[in-house]
Amino acid sequence: MGFAPEQLRLALAAPRPAAGLTSEWRLVDGLRTHTRRAADPGTGAPPVVLVHGLAVSHRYLTPLALALAPTHPVYVPDLPGFGLSARPRGAYDVGRHAAHLAAWLAAYGLPPACVLGHSFGAEVAAALAARHPGLVRALVLAGPTSDPAARSRRGLFGRFLVDTLREAKWQAPILLRDVVDARPTRVYATLSHSARNAIEEDAARVTAPTLVVTGARDPLAPAAWRDRLARLMPNARAAVVPGAAHNVATTAPAQVATAVRALLARC
């Protein structure tokens, strides 16, 4: 992929400004929380909040943030303990991350937003939409974990290993940097929280317009699981990105951005 070196440079740029993205920190529930953001383009479109997955941070969502920035204000917070945010004593579970995200939205005073969560971030986004429906205008679950067929630490890790063989190799330095920031012990503890979380219980309570999108080659969120999850929500549809693996928001940002805009056009 010819654009990979530039994508990598931009993903690793924070806290320095790059390509219109800037970094800032705010105190949220007593925790210094980092956000990578793109300025409001003045289109009147609603904000889009991108929620990263397990072990990673704002960095690997940078390509999608840049793809959405011409039409939407974009915010990419680092969840507690990840990226450039402060590290709380223990690893948060899904509910606690969702509560922190609700407090983060209040700190920014944002109107109801389109919230896109990828992988473990989809679990957090679904919990936010179920428990704080007034904060979420539309919901996107990209590569959502965890499929009940592999809902264990061993099952999730095994599927992750399969996915590493299918992903674009330029992402490896991002993952390494993010794991170093988060610390392996926090990554393992968060994996355990994911294995105990039943996202379908939150999904069944979601009323916001929703898109469930996965890569066609995603072993962590296979087609059967994607479609089952979409059927649980009354106002949801499923979509697939040909050729993409699990990190669909990173490797197919233009396609995912187009799908987000189509979803918001229906709201």
Side-chain angles (χ1 to χ4, degrees):
M1 300 174 72
F3 62 88
E6 179 65 5
Q7 294 285 74
L8 182 59
R9 183 187 72 80
L10 294 174
L12 296 174
R16 300 184 309 276
L21 299 180
T22 58
S23 286
E24 60 187 43
W25 284 261
R26 293 195 184 185
L27 201 63
V28 178
D29 276 353
L31 196 76
R32 192 167 182 260
T33 302
H34 170 259
T35 301
R36 196 70 165 161
R37 64 180 292 188
D40 189 338
T43 61
V48 179
V49 177
L50 308 181
V51 185
H52 65 78
L54 177 70
V56 285
S57 74
H58 72 276
R59 296 183 181 105
Y60 86 117
L61 291 173
T62 297
L64 181 56
L66 292 171
L68 288 164
T71 54
H72 293 269
V74 182
Y75 299 80
V76 197
D78 283 333
L79 295 176
F82 296 92
L84 301 179
S85 286
R87 300 186 189 98
R89 183 177 297 273
Y92 286 11
D93 63 11
V94 170
R96 198 166 180 191
H97 275 305
H100 187 86
L101 189 57
W104 176 91
L105 285 162
Y108 273 84
L110 296 181
C114 174
V115 179
L116 181 151
H118 176 258
S119 196
F120 177 75
E123 299 180 54
V124 176
L128 177 75
R131 304 171 197 187
H132 304 275
L135 300 178
V136 180
R137 175 172 179 158
L139 177 66
V140 181
L141 306 178
T145 52
S146 57
D147 180 359
R151 191 170 286 162
S152 66
R153 288 189 295 262
R154 174 179 290 184
L156 287 168
F157 187 68
R159 288 189 176 188
F160 169 77
L161 291 179
V162 172
D163 185 63
T164 60
L165 301 176
R166 302 180 182 181
E167 293 288 353
K169 304 309 179 199
W170 65 266
Q171 300 173 90
I174 300 173
L175 177 61
L176 179 61
R177 174 73 178 274
D178 281 340
V179 170
V180 168
D181 280 349
R183 312 279 174 81
T185 52
R186 186 178 304 278
V187 173
Y188 182 80
T190 307
L191 177 69
S192 299
H193 287 314
S194 180
R196 290 192 291 265
N197 182 61
I199 185 177
E200 56 269 34
E201 293 179 6
D202 283 318
R205 297 164 54 197
V206 171
T207 57
T210 301
L211 174 69
V212 185
V213 59
T214 63
R217 302 173 66 241
D218 185 348
L220 281 121
W225 166 237
R226 175 194 67 223
D227 294 343
R228 175 188 168 191
L229 189 60
R231 287 195 297 270
L232 291 173
M233 294 171 280
N235 196 10
R237 66 181 185 89
V240 62
V241 177
H246 184 59
N247 291 346
V248 62
T250 307
T251 59
Q255 295 94 316
V256 174
T258 295
V260 169
R261 293 183 183 106
L263 173 67
L264 286 171
R266 300 192 288 119
C267 296

